[in-house]
Amino acid sequence: MHTVVERELELRLVLSPERSIPVPARLTYRTEDPYAVHVAFHIGSDFPVRWMFARDLLVEGVFRPCGHGDVRIWPTKVDQRNVIFVALSSPDGNALLEVPSAAVAAWVERTLRVVPPGTEAELLGIDEGLAELLAPLPADDLWMRDPWPSDESQDGEA
């Protein structure tokens, strides 16, 4: 059985230091994909803009700057409010999002209660899958036998 932890919240898309606009978003964590966080941004288009990145990145980003490349996260204060900035980069463009710290921290804590850090691999069943893939099959014994009988005869004649 899989568990889903979701949270709807309003982010702010930072357009300039003086201007930002609200962006409704949904954070989703699924135990069948235990290493990832999924974010759907509802921007008024037919389909939401979706991003996926490592849960560990968001866990760390609540406390200190982290990430590089496409996703960077850091905590800070804006007008005496604790927020988290999330910088996203793609070939289609860049976005800087301001996220309420308390809401994200509470949601991250819920995901950590569902799947504690370090236990993600257990949910994937990698060991069981590998054991199944590597288990010998009845026909495997054919491959273990010598496919070419010896050229020497049994009675020593050449």
Side-chain angles (χ1 to χ4, degrees):
M1 181 172 169
H2 295 290
T3 302
V4 176
V5 179
E6 289 187 314
R7 172 79 193 245
E8 296 275 344
L9 49 87
E10 185 175 277
L11 313 177
R12 307 279 315 165
L13 175 62
V14 178
L15 302 174
S16 73
E18 304 82 29
R19 186 164 178 248
S20 64
I21 58 173
V23 176
R26 174 181 287 150
L27 298 174
T28 304
Y29 178 76
R30 298 179 186 97
T31 56
E32 72 243 24
D33 191 6
Y35 289 105
V37 167
H38 301 263
V39 185
F41 302 102
H42 304 283
I43 58 170
S45 60
D46 290 340
F47 301 101
V49 174
R50 298 182 188 280
W51 274 78
M52 177 181 65
F53 52 87
R55 177 178 72 158
D56 286 347
L57 193 60
L58 193 55
V59 169
E60 186 175 346
V62 168
F63 300 104
R64 66 187 138 278
C66 64
H68 52 81
D70 294 347
V71 180
R72 292 175 293 137
I73 302 174
W74 66 95
T76 192
K77 283 189 183 249
V78 172
D79 299 328
Q80 301 304 312
R81 295 176 296 114
N82 290 323
V83 298
I84 297 169
F85 276 132
V86 178
L88 303 174
S89 297
S90 80
D92 295 325
N94 302 313
L96 178 60
L97 299 156
E98 180 184 308
V99 187
S101 286
V104 171
W107 181 79
V108 165
E109 179 62 32
R110 286 176 50 209
T111 72
L112 295 173
R113 282 195 303 266
V114 171
V115 180
T119 65
E120 297 92 347
E122 296 168 17
L123 296 174
L124 296 176
I126 291 173
D127 291 337
E128 295 82 7
L130 281 174
E132 185 179 326
L133 282 172
L134 299 174
L137 298 172
D140 287 345
D141 64 343
L142 295 174
W143 293 104
M144 301 297 230
R145 287 190 238 148
D146 186 0
W148 307 107
S150 173
D151 289 340
E152 298 176 14
S153 66
Q154 294 292 1
D155 58 14
E157 294 179 14

